[in-house]
Amino acid sequence: MHTIFITGTDTGVGKTRVACALLRRARDRGLRAAGFKPVASGSEHTPAGLRNEDAQALLAESAPGLDYDAVNPVTLEPAIAPHLAARAAGVAIDPLRLDRAYECLAAQHERIVVEGAGGWRVPLNDRTGFDDWVAARRWPVVLVVGMRLGCINHALLTAEAVSRRTPFAGWVANLLPPGQPHWEENVETLRQRIDAPLLGIVPMHASVDVAATQLRWPDETAATP
């Protein structure tokens, strides 16, 4: 499984932490792996230009030798939905540009972890959403479920929507503060209703090191370090 796409039940559910942990796990297996944040909104001006915190985290967990722009080709300042951030910046997000950036990474790496923005159906422009772009490439999707009130409905709806468009490779339960009462029962409810494997449970406040030991790639048979 060369490439996986990470989406979430919502924004702020831990997509970046899971993506970084999967990159760490791939590299621990001796694979040359790279993160890819095709579009990042909510970026800050630095002496090197606009930089996004999530994209920088992916870059730090990628195989050495990559420039920032290789990991995040479209960087937008406003912390709003990508299509709105692009409109505010006076630019258009062209999926062909994202394709070219991905192909450059894919030619040099054995594993690519692509992280979306927000949830599954976030628009990229007036015509295309992340769901359309990923479905056109038939990338397997990993869903990060933030374990909080409302997650069951969000997770089941997203899993259904993903499965209609592209392979659904599995899901991750990410424990969020302040802590969901009865989270174990919620995980079991989702396990019974989602027709894809649970790839791991990430403890609250877990470091990338710890998270990597709790997860497995969809093509691994067991969650062994």
Side-chain angles (χ1 to χ4, degrees):
M1 190 171 291
H2 181 272
T3 300
I4 56 174
F5 181 81
I6 309 296
T7 193
T9 46
D10 199 352
T11 189
V13 297
K15 293 189 304 297
T16 302
R17 179 163 57 157
V18 168
C20 287
L22 288 171
L23 284 168
R24 176 73 62 85
R25 187 167 184 85
R27 295 185 65 196
D28 286 347
R29 294 167 64 195
L31 300 170
R32 183 170 174 81
F36 186 45
K37 182 82 173 177
V39 180
S41 54
S43 306
E44 297 183 355
H45 287 278
T46 74
L50 278 176
R51 293 292 182 265
N52 175 266
E53 183 179 6
D54 293 346
Q56 288 179 313
L58 294 176
L59 178 61
E61 292 298 333
S62 298
L66 290 173
D67 295 328
Y68 177 87
D69 291 342
V71 170
N72 177 215
V74 178
T75 313
L76 303 165
E77 183 176 3
I80 53 180
H83 70 301
L84 299 179
R87 188 179 302 165
V91 300
I93 299 173
D94 182 1
L96 292 178
R97 178 182 176 186
L98 308 184
D99 289 342
R100 289 191 294 268
Y102 165 78
E103 295 296 345
C104 288
L105 278 181
Q108 304 172 50
H109 297 84
E110 298 167 279
R111 292 289 187 274
I112 307 291
V113 178
V114 186
E115 183 189 342
W120 171 237
R121 298 199 62 184
V122 168
L124 289 170
N125 54 42
D126 292 340
R127 300 172 305 279
T128 303
F130 263 112
D131 55 334
D132 302 308
W133 185 61
V134 173
R137 286 190 163 273
R138 297 291 295 170
W139 283 333
V141 171
V142 171
L143 172 64
V144 179
V145 180
M147 300 307 298
R148 61 190 182 195
L149 189 63
C151 70
I152 292 177
N153 181 60
H154 294 162
L156 295 179
L157 287 173
T158 304
E160 180 180 348
V162 169
S163 297
R164 289 177 176 177
R165 302 292 305 276
T166 199
F168 184 31
W171 62 286
V172 173
N174 186 42
L175 305 188
L176 299 175
Q180 183 187 39
H182 308 290
W183 68 263
E184 296 97 336
E185 292 95 324
N186 281 274
V187 168
E188 185 56 31
T189 297
L190 291 174
R191 194 199 297 264
Q192 293 173 5
R193 286 166 171 77
I194 293 179
D195 188 21
L198 173 61
L199 301 175
I201 299 173
V202 179
M204 198 181 307
H205 306 301
S207 65
V208 172
D209 287 337
V210 170
T213 67
Q214 304 303 306
L215 298 178
R216 61 185 174 94
W217 271 73
D219 59 357
E220 289 184 79
T221 57
T224 53

